Amino acid sequence: MGKEKKEKKDKTPSKNKVNDDDEGGELRPVCAIAKPLADIGFHKKILKVVKKASKHKQVKRGVKEVVKALRKDTKGLCVIAGDISPIDVITHIPILCEESNVPYIYVHSKEELGAAGQTKRPTSCMLVLPDAQKGGDKMGDEDAKEFKDMYGKVISKIKSLD
């Protein structure tokens, strides 16, 4: 009898997992301070910009690197995951961004942000730099123009959300 109850308990969570997928357009809940939060279409554009920038080493990954860069007045676009727990890990980043006049936006998933940044680990925040760092691969003329265009559109949309 105990085994049958265990099997029923195992089946119930699997049904809930199907409902939690992002395929139906539903997004996972995020923390209360996640404003401005990107909608589904804008979320994908942001992740494209992050992916293109990470290929050419134009990103700072993680809280420690992002905070260090913001304190040195590095300009860029700060992308913060909205599903971080505990929330205290990232609460100071928007304040630093506002002091440095760096636009920031929240995305729904730390896993998707990490995947876009070409890491296997989930990432809580990233700073996308407009130009390549020292030692980074330089983009070709066509790639650089496309990236600048995408980057500019994302920045302008974030500024319009405020």
Side-chain angles (χ1 to χ4, degrees), residues 22-69:
D22 293 339
E23 293 174 12
E26 296 176 25
L27 298 170
R28 279 181 262 145
V30 295
C31 61
I33 66 161
K35 291 179 179 118
L37 181 66
D39 61 351
I40 297 170
F42 191 45
H43 176 82
K44 290 180 181 180
K45 283 183 183 179
I46 292 168
L47 294 180
K48 270 186 184 178
V49 169
V50 170
K51 190 169 189 174
K52 197 162 202 65
S54 65
K55 282 182 183 177
H56 299 285
K57 296 188 170 65
Q58 288 183 231
V59 293
K60 300 279 187 184
R61 293 179 182 90
V63 175
K64 190 175 179 181
E65 281 188 40
V66 170
V67 168
K68 193 162 117 181

Side-chain angles (χ1 to χ4, degrees), residues 2-3 10 21 27 32 44 63 71 79 81-82 98 101 103 105 113 120 130-131 138 140 143 146 159:
K3 289 184 180 178
D10 290 339
D21 285 344
L27 298 170
K44 290 180 181 180
V63 175
R71 288 204 172 127
V79 183
E98 287 174 4
N101 293 325
I105 187 126
L113 183 58
K120 293 178 184 177
D131 300 315
K138 293 214 173 189
D143 284 342
E146 183 182 347
K159 287 183 179 176

